[in-house]
Every structure is written in structure tokens, then in C-alpha cells.
Amino acid sequence: MIRSIQLANWRAYRSLDLHLTRPVTFFVAPNGVGKTSLVEAVRWGLLGTPAQDRRRAVRSGSESATVQLGLNLPGYPDLQVTRTLKRTGSATFAATAGGAEITELQYEAILREAWSARPGLLDALIFGTKATGKETGFPIRDHLADVFGIQPLLDAASQLKDRRGVLAAKIKSIRDDLVATDEALAEADREIADLEHEVEAATAERSIAEARIGDLEVTAARADAWERYRHTAKDYDDRVRNLVVRMTDVLDVGARDPASALADEEREADAALQDSLAARAAAEVASATAANAADLLSAATTECPTCLRPLSAAERDAALSSHGDLDVHARTEVERRDLETASVRRRLAVIAEFGRTLSGLPAPVEPENEDPGPAAAIELANARRLVSELAEKHGALGARLSEARRKAASLRQAGREHNDLLTAAREDAVAEVTQNSLNRVADHYLNERIQPLTQEISRRWKLVFGSDGLRFGPDGHLGVQHGDVELGLGDLSGGERATALLVTRLLLIKTLARASTIWFDEPLEHLDPRRRATIARTLLLAADAGAVDQIVVTTYEEGLARRLAAIAPNTVELTYARANKELQDFPEEGGVEPTRPTTSW
């Protein structure tokens, strides 16, 4: 049983230290104060069963919540269990048995050994299943199979069920393939023949188009060569024209070819240079002769230095004057010819520069073949587009042909698989019969073993509602028989559902397991006053009869709880929870501060 409960920062509880000392404890509080929060905390701490959104269990403003339980189990009178929950959702576990630390697996083994049930069944028995909808059963089938030694039957039935699943998939696959008939197969063969003819024609058409591409590429290459030639020729002409414009400032090209004009001008300038050089040399000789004669005349006294005839002073002066004039004239001619020679040489330099520039312009060479014209490139592009379209068509036809062949092969295989279908169907039928037989045997055996239990559940139902009808099956589900109709528990009223689950749990907690504690969260709220009192007394009688060592009930029925405490003060203990103004900012639970008439916690 549970001896103590300590909570820290769990929902509305800042802290809680509760000790359970009586067989029956009524936890009394108004709605929304924290009754269900307490049950969820104990459920998580005892079994590790999470709430729907466990992270919301951490009190606002705190980073973690802690649940600590003190247990008294057979062989383990001092068992302490602590679970801590982080706001992130992660959780930790710690436990001690007799002061020694144990792992969570060891703790679960102790619970199972002490209470003789699996955790799922313990959860359903101690804290209950959902009271609405279809989830109203107790997971007892595997438990009973373990207890009564028929688990091998259930395992065999489960293996047959798995095998039937495999067979069902195989049968469906074979049946899907067997929709074919001879006519369908013939149609498939005709489709293959037609597609083969289309593929052959498409292959030939594609080959012709691809061969034509080669010829068109040659023609297009020629057209491209002519286009490049025209572009190069235009560029050459533009550059020559610019050069001629520059030459016009120096040379008179006229309508002549620039290269011929440069050659002519070069010959003329070279001849002019030679003439100028010769004239300059002659002027140099004349100047030297005149200067020499003047020197001789200047040195002579009475005779001519050339003819040696006597000269008068007047004749000598006249001769000196004449030779001086000749010398001046000759030197003037030399200077003129120097200027002329320099000019001609500059002209020759310009002509040479133009010649080098013209020689550096490579003249384009006209292609040998005729120009096909710009239509060749357009025709090649159209041909390539056609080849691409034909390739796509050819690929699509090939894919259709492959699919048609696969379909025909599948149709032929389907015919061969007919025997496989018959074999699989026979095996499935045998497996179904065997599976049903094993389940019927197991159900019959379980029904026999739990017959006294189902009768007692029905009897207790009748005590409350005054009529028969509640049935409890070996699968753990409850139902109610109304005439010829069997209703599910979810079809009943809230009070009927709560009562059925309560009396069933009270019986199962000791008959199927040896759990020493059971918790009921507001089991009286859907009942009328008479049935509410009947159920409350049933809980008290169950504790007095030793059906379970510890019963904890949350309720807002304070008056009823007080009456039971007055009737059985040594059995019943009341614990109160009241709203705390300081905690009113936790609307999901309302904030609680628990109190007792005799104990503060």
C-alpha cells in the first residue's frame, strides 16, 4: 500500500506531505481545486504512466516537479520511489528498498512480484480505464493466459494470424493478376505487334533524319565560312579605307590600288632623293673650286694663277669678286639641296610606314566552295529539331512496347499461378479454422475460469440497479444486455458506466492481482443520491472485508464522506483541500492548500 505522498511544484501544489493511515481515505475538495491532479501525480509516481501533456504538470514559475511515494509491499516494507519531471518533458527516476538504491527495472520487478500483474493491468485496476467511448476494457487476457497456462494457445493463434496476413497479401496479388482471359492475352499480343511495327517505322524515319543531318552540317559549315569571310573582308576594307584616308594627307592615291600607289610614290621619292644628292655634290664642287680660285688670286700679285698672264689690280679685284659670287651661289645651292634631301627622306619614311601598316593587314581569302547562303543554317536547325522529336517519339513507343510485353508476360504468368492461388487459399482456410479453434478453446477455458467472477460482477450490478445484464468477458470488456441487444459500456449513462467500472475493479483488484491499493477519482458524481450512498457503503464494506488494503476516493460530496467517517471512524479518514487565494492564478487546477480536521499538510 501507499504510506506517504510528497509533491513539490506539481500543478497547483507548491508542496504536499500526505500520510495515509486508514483503509479508506476520502480526499474532499470542490471541483477544480486539485483532486485529479493528486491522482495523476500518484499514478505517475507509482507506475510511470504519463498524463496527456506531462510537461504541464510542472507548476508555473518552476523548472521541475517532484513526486515521492513511500510504499509498503510484501517483502519490502520500506520502499521509496521518487520521480522528477523537467519543464522540457524529460524525467528522472530514483528508488530505494530498505535504504539500498535500486534501478527502475528492479522496481518494476518488485511491483510485478508483489502484486502479480503486468504494469498495464495494474494501471487499469488501481486507477481505472476511461469511462467513456470504446476504451472501457481491462487488459486481462494475457494475464489470465499466464495464470492458467494457456499462453501457448494464444501465441499459436497469433502466429496463425500473422501467417494469414501474409497469405491474404499473396492471394490478393495473385487474384489481381488472374483478371486476364485468353481474349485479353490475344489483345495484348496484337498491341505488341502494332507497337513493334510503329517502333520499326520510327527507327527508319529517325535514321534517315540523322543521316541527312550530316549533309546539312557540311553545307551549314560552308555557309558559316562564307559568313566569316564576309565579316573579315568588311573589316579589312574598313581598315584599308581608314589607312588611305590617312595617306591622302601625304600622297595622292587617287583611284589607284593603295599598294601600287605606295610603290610608285616610293620610286618617285627615291629618284628625287638621288637627284637632290647629285645636285648637292655638284654645288659642293663648285663652291670648293670658287673658294680655291679666290685663295690663289689673293696670294698672287701681278699674274693670273691659272693662265699666268699679267693682271692689273682692277682685273684681279674683278676676278676675286666673280669667284666670290660663285662660291656664295654654290653654298646657297648646297643648303637648298640639304633641305630638299631631308624632306624627301621624311617622305620616304612616311611611305615606308604606310607600307608596313598595309603589309600588316592580312587580306582575307575567299572560300573555294560556292556560298550556300543563310538558309543552310535554318535548314540544319529544322533538321535537328525533327531528329529530337523523332527520338522522343521513338523512346515513347519503346516504353509502350516494353510495358505491353511486361503486361503480356504478367498475363501468361497469371495463368501459371492459378494453382498457387488454390494452394494459398486452402492454406488460409486451414489457418483460419485452426486460429478460430485455438481462440475458441482459449476463450472457453478462460470463461470457465472467470465464470464465478462474472457472476459476482453481475450480482453486484443488480444490487445497485436492481436488474441483470452486466457481462464481463474473457477479453476484459464490459457490456450490458438489454433484451436481445448487447450494448457497449460507452452506450450507458455516466452513472451506469461509473458503477460498472467501480464494482468490476473492486473484484478484479484481488482476484486477478494482489494489488493493495485502489484509487477512485470522483466515482460518485454521476449517481443519484440513493445509488451514491450505496456505492459509498460498498467501498466501506470492501475495505472492512479485506478486499483491498487501501481505498482512496476523491469527491466533492463532503456530507456523505462525513457520515461514513462517523459510522466507521477507525476505517475512514477525511482529507480536505480548499482553494488558496495565493494560487488563484492557476485556473487549470485552481490552486489548493489541503487541510484535515486533525492534521495539517
PDB file of all heavy atoms in Angstrom, residues 112 125 169 177 189 199 212 314 326 333 386 456 469-470 510 573:
ATOM      1  N   ARG A 112       5.695  -6.131  -9.865  1.00  0.00           N
ATOM      2  CA  ARG A 112       5.054  -7.268 -10.526  1.00  0.00           C
ATOM      3  C   ARG A 112       5.039  -8.501  -9.618  1.00  0.00           C
ATOM      4  O   ARG A 112       4.058  -9.245  -9.580  1.00  0.00           O
ATOM      5  CB  ARG A 112       5.780  -7.576 -11.835  1.00  0.00           C
ATOM      6  CG  ARG A 112       5.120  -8.671 -12.642  1.00  0.00           C
ATOM      7  CD  ARG A 112       5.618  -8.700 -14.056  1.00  0.00           C
ATOM      8  NE  ARG A 112       4.948  -9.727 -14.848  1.00  0.00           N
ATOM      9  CZ  ARG A 112       5.102  -9.905 -16.137  1.00  0.00           C
ATOM     10  NH1 ARG A 112       5.909  -9.093 -16.808  1.00  0.00           N
ATOM     11  NH2 ARG A 112       4.452 -10.856 -16.779  1.00  0.00           N
ATOM     12  N   LEU A 125      -6.473  -1.419 -13.120  1.00  0.00           N
ATOM     13  CA  LEU A 125      -7.159  -1.831 -11.895  1.00  0.00           C
ATOM     14  C   LEU A 125      -7.027  -0.779 -10.793  1.00  0.00           C
ATOM     15  O   LEU A 125      -8.006  -0.474 -10.103  1.00  0.00           O
ATOM     16  CB  LEU A 125      -6.589  -3.166 -11.407  1.00  0.00           C
ATOM     17  CG  LEU A 125      -6.830  -4.374 -12.322  1.00  0.00           C
ATOM     18  CD1 LEU A 125      -6.197  -5.612 -11.724  1.00  0.00           C
ATOM     19  CD2 LEU A 125      -8.312  -4.593 -12.564  1.00  0.00           C
ATOM     20  N   ALA A 169      -2.147 -11.149 -48.435  1.00  0.00           N
ATOM     21  CA  ALA A 169      -1.451 -10.297 -49.404  1.00  0.00           C
ATOM     22  C   ALA A 169      -1.100 -11.077 -50.662  1.00  0.00           C
ATOM     23  O   ALA A 169      -1.231 -10.586 -51.793  1.00  0.00           O
ATOM     24  CB  ALA A 169      -0.189  -9.717 -48.761  1.00  0.00           C
ATOM     25  N   ASP A 177      -3.741 -10.511 -60.605  1.00  0.00           N
ATOM     26  CA  ASP A 177      -3.129 -10.932 -61.864  1.00  0.00           C
ATOM     27  C   ASP A 177      -4.034 -11.862 -62.665  1.00  0.00           C
ATOM     28  O   ASP A 177      -3.902 -11.981 -63.894  1.00  0.00           O
ATOM     29  CB  ASP A 177      -1.796 -11.641 -61.591  1.00  0.00           C
ATOM     30  CG  ASP A 177      -0.736 -10.669 -61.103  1.00  0.00           C
ATOM     31  OD1 ASP A 177      -0.915  -9.464 -61.353  1.00  0.00           O
ATOM     32  OD2 ASP A 177       0.234 -11.116 -60.474  1.00  0.00           O
ATOM     33  N   ASP A 189      -1.123  -9.354 -77.290  1.00  0.00           N
ATOM     34  CA  ASP A 189      -0.213  -9.749 -78.373  1.00  0.00           C
ATOM     35  C   ASP A 189      -0.406  -8.855 -79.599  1.00  0.00           C
ATOM     36  O   ASP A 189       0.564  -8.500 -80.281  1.00  0.00           O
ATOM     37  CB  ASP A 189      -0.445 -11.222 -78.732  1.00  0.00           C
ATOM     38  CG  ASP A 189       0.064 -12.159 -77.646  1.00  0.00           C
ATOM     39  OD1 ASP A 189       0.937 -11.742 -76.884  1.00  0.00           O
ATOM     40  OD2 ASP A 189      -0.425 -13.314 -77.571  1.00  0.00           O
ATOM     41  N   VAL A 199       7.463   1.020 -83.901  1.00  0.00           N
ATOM     42  CA  VAL A 199       8.852   1.248 -83.485  1.00  0.00           C
ATOM     43  C   VAL A 199       9.791   1.084 -84.668  1.00  0.00           C
ATOM     44  O   VAL A 199      10.747   1.863 -84.852  1.00  0.00           O
ATOM     45  CB  VAL A 199       9.234   0.287 -82.336  1.00  0.00           C
ATOM     46  CG1 VAL A 199      10.741   0.313 -82.097  1.00  0.00           C
ATOM     47  CG2 VAL A 199       8.500   0.670 -81.061  1.00  0.00           C
ATOM     48  N   ARG A 212      20.629  12.700 -92.822  1.00  0.00           N
ATOM     49  CA  ARG A 212      20.511  13.995 -93.505  1.00  0.00           C
ATOM     50  C   ARG A 212      21.220  15.085 -92.709  1.00  0.00           C
ATOM     51  O   ARG A 212      21.729  16.060 -93.293  1.00  0.00           O
ATOM     52  CB  ARG A 212      19.033  14.332 -93.690  1.00  0.00           C
ATOM     53  CG  ARG A 212      18.765  15.606 -94.490  1.00  0.00           C
ATOM     54  CD  ARG A 212      17.310  15.689 -94.913  1.00  0.00           C
ATOM     55  NE  ARG A 212      17.050  16.929 -95.605  1.00  0.00           N
ATOM     56  CZ  ARG A 212      16.573  18.033 -95.028  1.00  0.00           C
ATOM     57  NH1 ARG A 212      16.319  18.035 -93.743  1.00  0.00           N
ATOM     58  NH2 ARG A 212      16.366  19.130 -95.740  1.00  0.00           N
ATOM     59  N   ALA A 314      92.809  96.061-111.133  1.00  0.00           N
ATOM     60  CA  ALA A 314      91.374  96.079-111.381  1.00  0.00           C
ATOM     61  C   ALA A 314      90.879  94.703-111.806  1.00  0.00           C
ATOM     62  O   ALA A 314      89.841  94.207-111.383  1.00  0.00           O
ATOM     63  CB  ALA A 314      91.035  97.133-112.444  1.00  0.00           C
ATOM     64  N   LEU A 326      80.455  83.198-107.193  1.00  0.00           N
ATOM     65  CA  LEU A 326      80.224  81.772-107.497  1.00  0.00           C
ATOM     66  C   LEU A 326      80.220  80.925-106.221  1.00  0.00           C
ATOM     67  O   LEU A 326      79.428  79.987-106.069  1.00  0.00           O
ATOM     68  CB  LEU A 326      81.322  81.273-108.459  1.00  0.00           C
ATOM     69  CG  LEU A 326      81.257  81.786-109.916  1.00  0.00           C
ATOM     70  CD1 LEU A 326      82.491  81.323-110.709  1.00  0.00           C
ATOM     71  CD2 LEU A 326      79.997  81.279-110.582  1.00  0.00           C
ATOM     72  N   GLU A 333      73.183  76.818-102.929  1.00  0.00           N
ATOM     73  CA  GLU A 333      72.604  75.622-103.573  1.00  0.00           C
ATOM     74  C   GLU A 333      72.752  74.402-102.678  1.00  0.00           C
ATOM     75  O   GLU A 333      71.857  73.537-102.574  1.00  0.00           O
ATOM     76  CB  GLU A 333      73.283  75.393-104.940  1.00  0.00           C
ATOM     77  CG  GLU A 333      72.773  74.187-105.719  1.00  0.00           C
ATOM     78  CD  GLU A 333      71.339  74.347-106.163  1.00  0.00           C
ATOM     79  OE1 GLU A 333      70.776  75.478-106.103  1.00  0.00           O
ATOM     80  OE2 GLU A 333      70.694  73.320-106.547  1.00  0.00           O
ATOM     81  N   LEU A 386      13.717  18.155 -85.854  1.00  0.00           N
ATOM     82  CA  LEU A 386      12.981  16.973 -86.300  1.00  0.00           C
ATOM     83  C   LEU A 386      13.582  15.699 -85.711  1.00  0.00           C
ATOM     84  O   LEU A 386      12.855  14.807 -85.249  1.00  0.00           O
ATOM     85  CB  LEU A 386      12.994  16.912 -87.831  1.00  0.00           C
ATOM     86  CG  LEU A 386      12.337  15.659 -88.452  1.00  0.00           C
ATOM     87  CD1 LEU A 386      10.858  15.587 -88.067  1.00  0.00           C
ATOM     88  CD2 LEU A 386      12.500  15.667 -89.975  1.00  0.00           C
ATOM     89  N   GLU A 456     -20.324 -12.779  -9.982  1.00  0.00           N
ATOM     90  CA  GLU A 456     -20.275 -11.858  -8.858  1.00  0.00           C
ATOM     91  C   GLU A 456     -20.394 -10.409  -9.340  1.00  0.00           C
ATOM     92  O   GLU A 456     -21.058  -9.578  -8.695  1.00  0.00           O
ATOM     93  CB  GLU A 456     -18.972 -12.051  -8.085  1.00  0.00           C
ATOM     94  CG  GLU A 456     -18.816 -11.156  -6.877  1.00  0.00           C
ATOM     95  CD  GLU A 456     -19.887 -11.403  -5.812  1.00  0.00           C
ATOM     96  OE1 GLU A 456     -20.542 -12.480  -5.837  1.00  0.00           O
ATOM     97  OE2 GLU A 456     -20.084 -10.523  -4.955  1.00  0.00           O
ATOM     98  N   GLY A 469     -27.864  -8.036 -16.290  1.00  0.00           N
ATOM     99  CA  GLY A 469     -27.448  -7.570 -17.605  1.00  0.00           C
ATOM    100  C   GLY A 469     -25.982  -7.255 -17.764  1.00  0.00           C
ATOM    101  O   GLY A 469     -25.463  -7.299 -18.882  1.00  0.00           O
ATOM    102  N   LEU A 470     -25.272  -6.939 -16.680  1.00  0.00           N
ATOM    103  CA  LEU A 470     -23.861  -6.600 -16.831  1.00  0.00           C
ATOM    104  C   LEU A 470     -23.055  -7.862 -17.099  1.00  0.00           C
ATOM    105  O   LEU A 470     -23.112  -8.822 -16.338  1.00  0.00           O
ATOM    106  CB  LEU A 470     -23.328  -5.895 -15.576  1.00  0.00           C
ATOM    107  CG  LEU A 470     -21.867  -5.436 -15.646  1.00  0.00           C
ATOM    108  CD1 LEU A 470     -21.677  -4.409 -16.751  1.00  0.00           C
ATOM    109  CD2 LEU A 470     -21.418  -4.870 -14.304  1.00  0.00           C
ATOM    110  N   LYS A 510      -8.309  -7.964  -6.382  1.00  0.00           N
ATOM    111  CA  LYS A 510      -7.805  -9.041  -5.540  1.00  0.00           C
ATOM    112  C   LYS A 510      -7.889 -10.414  -6.204  1.00  0.00           C
ATOM    113  O   LYS A 510      -7.127 -11.318  -5.873  1.00  0.00           O
ATOM    114  CB  LYS A 510      -8.575  -9.080  -4.221  1.00  0.00           C
ATOM    115  CG  LYS A 510      -8.047  -8.114  -3.175  1.00  0.00           C
ATOM    116  CD  LYS A 510      -6.615  -8.449  -2.760  1.00  0.00           C
ATOM    117  CE  LYS A 510      -6.137  -7.571  -1.628  1.00  0.00           C
ATOM    118  NZ  LYS A 510      -4.744  -7.879  -1.244  1.00  0.00           N
ATOM    119  N   GLU A 573     -10.916   7.963   6.864  1.00  0.00           N
ATOM    120  CA  GLU A 573     -10.202   9.196   7.174  1.00  0.00           C
ATOM    121  C   GLU A 573     -10.560  10.238   6.121  1.00  0.00           C
ATOM    122  O   GLU A 573     -10.656   9.932   4.922  1.00  0.00           O
ATOM    123  CB  GLU A 573      -8.693   8.955   7.163  1.00  0.00           C
ATOM    124  CG  GLU A 573      -7.868  10.180   7.532  1.00  0.00           C
ATOM    125  CD  GLU A 573      -6.390   9.861   7.590  1.00  0.00           C
ATOM    126  OE1 GLU A 573      -5.952   8.997   6.801  1.00  0.00           O
ATOM    127  OE2 GLU A 573      -5.682  10.459   8.407  1.00  0.00           O
TER     128      GLU A 573
END
